[in-house]
Amino acid sequence: MKSAISNVVCMTVLLSSSVMSSSFSSPVRFGAGRVGADRPAFLVRGGSDINVESSTVVAPPADVAAAASAPSTTTTALSASVSGGGDVEEVSDSKLGPNAPPPGLLRRLLPGFPWHQLPNYLTYIRCLSIPIFMVLCYYPVSFPNRAPVLSLIFALASITDWFDGFLARRWDITSPFGAFLDPVADKLMVSTALILLAGRYGGIVAIPSAIIMAREVGVSALREWMAQQGKRDSVKVGMQGKVKAALTMISLTIMLLVPEGVGLETVTWAKFLGPLGVGGAGNIAEGVANAGWSFMLGPSLLMLFASAIITVTSGSVYFRAALPVLLGKE
């Protein structure tokens, strides 16, 4: 009897100690410790460590795996920290688009420069060059190198018009203000040069200038109206429009190289145009400095005429595309 009671008491004590040890031990932790040769260990209830060797690797959280497999979109240092809940915190000082290429030499040398604003800066420079261009057309009065300087300013402005768009596409960056100002700056620069050259050479430049500027006003109004109708993509810029813009800028750059003292008498075919073939009396104080460029006047006028023709054809393409909406058929 006593032996049976003793056995019961011993079993009760053993069961109680087992329950108490399990209640005060730490829960199971994955990857909480390393035992031996840097192997994963599991800390099980009861306080004992069990080394487990397995070829199976526990997958990280889905958001961490996606962040690790996705291509890098930052141009500077990128850090990621994983909290206990699996959240990922990404820190980067780059503001380029997700499809931007890795940083080149300049972006590595100047990491603090706001490269995402560079296209807008180029547009601002083009806008600021317009008043400078206008002033240099007339002042100072005695300026022998006026023609090459004006041509250089206009050429650089034309190049920035292409370059800021190239950077915006390459770095996958856009801004509402840049999208508004870029085409406006382009039209302002071209219109200013056309008006000034029309005043110098008369009707032979004024007529194609009027055609080009009228088309720009009409197409701009059409695009604004189509945007209100939700159909702006129907009148987006096409290849003819790009050819027209490039041809206009090249012709104006060449024409600005011709000094003011050179008139239309240097263009052999201009005499067949009657009153349109007379013009080009320039600034007497400047004389005919840099007269070697006078032979470029004729080719630049032909290019301007070609630009006016493409202006009409490209404008007609836009209006034909918008015609169903204008007539209420869509």
Side-chain angles (χ1 to χ4, degrees):
M1 180 71 178
K2 291 181 178 180
S3 62
I5 294 174
S6 299
N7 292 336
V8 171
V9 171
C10 290
M11 293 179 63
T12 303
V13 170
L14 290 174
L15 290 175
S16 300
S17 63
S18 175
V19 171
M20 291 178 65
S21 64
S22 64
S23 62
F24 286 101
S25 63
S26 301
V28 176
R29 292 179 295 172
F30 292 87
R34 296 288 180 178
V35 180
D38 199 22
R39 292 174 300 176
F42 296 90
L43 182 62
V44 297
R45 299 185 186 276
S48 61
D49 289 337
I50 300 177
N51 297 332
V52 178
E53 293 188 15
S54 174
S55 61
T56 303
V57 179
V58 179
D63 51 356
V64 179
S69 61
S72 176
T73 60
T74 61
T75 59
T76 54
L78 176 66
S79 62
S81 60
V82 183
S83 63
D87 296 329
V88 177
E89 181 182 358
E90 187 174 295
V91 180
S92 171
D93 61 356
S94 173
K95 296 182 180 180
L96 302 186
N99 297 320
L105 178 61
L106 286 178
R107 285 164 57 193
R108 289 197 300 267
L109 291 176
L110 301 172
F113 184 81
W115 293 103
H116 64 286
Q117 290 289 350
L118 183 57
N120 285 345
Y121 292 161
L122 294 175
T123 303
Y124 302 153
I125 292 173
R126 191 159 68 254
C127 291
L128 292 175
S129 67
I130 297 174
I132 298 175
F133 178 83
M134 294 178 62
V135 171
L136 288 178
C137 280
Y138 301 102
Y139 300 99
V141 176
S142 179
F143 190 10
N145 294 317
R146 189 191 312 275
V149 170
L150 292 177
S151 179
L152 180 62
I153 293 175
F154 187 85
L156 291 177
S158 301
I159 292 173
T160 60
D161 178 48
W162 166 82
F163 193 54
D164 60 6
F166 169 78
L167 291 179
R169 291 187 297 269
R170 179 173 175 80
W171 291 343
D172 192 23
I173 48 178
T174 57
S175 67
F177 187 69
F180 155 75
L181 189 60
D182 179 64
V184 172
D186 171 30
K187 292 174 175 58
L188 288 176
M189 191 69 187
V190 172
S191 300
T192 301
L194 286 172
I195 293 172
L196 294 173
L197 289 172
R200 180 190 300 180
Y201 295 108
I204 198 170
V205 174
I207 291 177
S209 298
I211 294 173
I212 293 173
M213 295 173 65
R215 180 262 190 196
E216 294 296 340
V217 172
V219 171
S220 297
L222 178 65
R223 285 181 178 144
E224 181 180 356
W225 186 82
M226 291 291 285
Q228 295 177 357
Q229 306 300 316
K231 303 282 187 178
R232 184 177 178 83
D233 289 341
S234 301
V235 290
K236 61 183 180 181
V237 178
M239 181 55 64
Q240 287 194 52
K242 295 178 181 179
V243 172
K244 183 269 306 178
L247 196 58
T248 303
M249 291 179 178
I250 294 173
S251 66
L252 294 178
T253 300
I254 297 174
M255 196 178 301
L256 287 168
L257 272 175
V258 180
E260 291 184 66
V262 177
L264 293 177
E265 66 275 2
T266 59
V267 182
T268 56
W269 50 266
K271 59 184 179 182
F272 300 105
L273 300 178
L276 295 180
V278 179
N283 190 339
I284 302 301
E286 183 182 18
V288 290
N290 301 302
W293 291 103
S294 59
F295 73 97
M296 298 301 297
L297 181 57
S300 63
L301 288 171
L302 292 176
M303 294 176 67
L304 186 61
F305 294 156
S307 176
I309 294 173
I310 299 176
T311 293
V312 175
T313 59
S314 63
S316 64
V317 171
Y318 297 138
F319 278 95
R320 283 202 305 268
L323 191 60
V325 181
L326 292 172
L327 297 179
K329 296 182 179 179
E330 287 188 5

